[in-house]
Amino acid sequence: MITVNCRDILPIKSTLAVYTSDQVGAVPALKSREFMLAPIEDEEINAANVITAIKMFLASLGCERHFAVIQKNDVISVVALDGYKIDVPPQGVTDQFFSCVHCGYVTQFETMYKNHMKIHYL
C-alpha cells in the first residue's frame, strides 16, 4: 500500500487519486490530506509508476515545475517548491465517487458508473 501526501495540493486531491489509481491499477482510499493506493490483486504497486502518474497529472495542469514529487519508503509527497497554490473553481458536488462492487472501477460521474455496471450483466 502506498500513501500519497497531498497537503500542498488539496484542491486536486480527489481528481489526482482517481487519475493515479487508473494509471497504476489500484484502489484509492481518500483521507483528509492524503490518499492511499491499495493493489487490486496480491501484486505490489510500483512506486515509480505512481510518481510518473502524478507528474503526468501535474503536467496536464501546467504546474509541474512548481511541485516536487518525493518518495520516502511507502509515502510519496507532493511538495510545493515556491509556495504555489492551486486554485480550482468549484464544480458543484466534490468528493463523490461511484465504485463498482464487482471490479473496483471508480468514477465521479453517475452516468458513467451506470453504463459500466451494464457490462457486468450482459
Side-chain angles (χ1 to χ4, degrees):
M1 188 172 304
I2 293 180
T3 302
V4 179
N5 181 343
C6 300
R7 292 179 194 268
D8 292 346
I9 57 168
L10 287 177
I12 61 170
K13 176 191 68 171
S14 300
T15 312
L16 177 62
V18 171
Y19 178 82
T20 306
S21 66
D22 273 352
Q23 294 298 313
V24 299
V27 179
L30 296 173
K31 291 182 147 188
S32 62
R33 299 188 187 278
E34 59 190 24
F35 65 89
M36 301 175 86
L37 296 171
I40 294 175
E41 296 180 6
D42 290 337
E43 300 174 8
E44 288 197 26
I45 299 170
N46 186 346
N49 293 344
V50 175
I51 291 170
T52 301
I54 293 170
K55 288 181 179 181
M56 287 174 43
F57 184 80
L58 292 172
S60 72
L61 296 176
C63 61
E64 73 277 7
R65 67 175 191 228
H66 298 288
F67 294 96
V69 183
I70 302 167
Q71 177 185 3
K72 184 175 182 183
N73 298 327
D74 286 340
V75 178
I76 297 172
S77 299
V78 182
V79 181
L81 295 174
D82 53 6
Y84 186 80
K85 298 287 183 196
I86 293 180
D87 294 324
V88 178
Q91 298 176 348
V93 178
T94 59
D95 290 344
Q96 180 179 357
F97 291 99
F98 299 92
S99 178
C100 177
V101 295
H102 302 292
C103 67
Y105 172 78
V106 178
T107 183
Q108 256 183 295
F109 308 103
E110 185 175 10
T111 54
M112 288 181 68
Y113 170 73
K114 287 181 179 179
N115 286 336
H116 170 82
M117 287 299 287
K118 291 176 186 176
I119 68 169
H120 291 292
Y121 298 103
L122 292 177

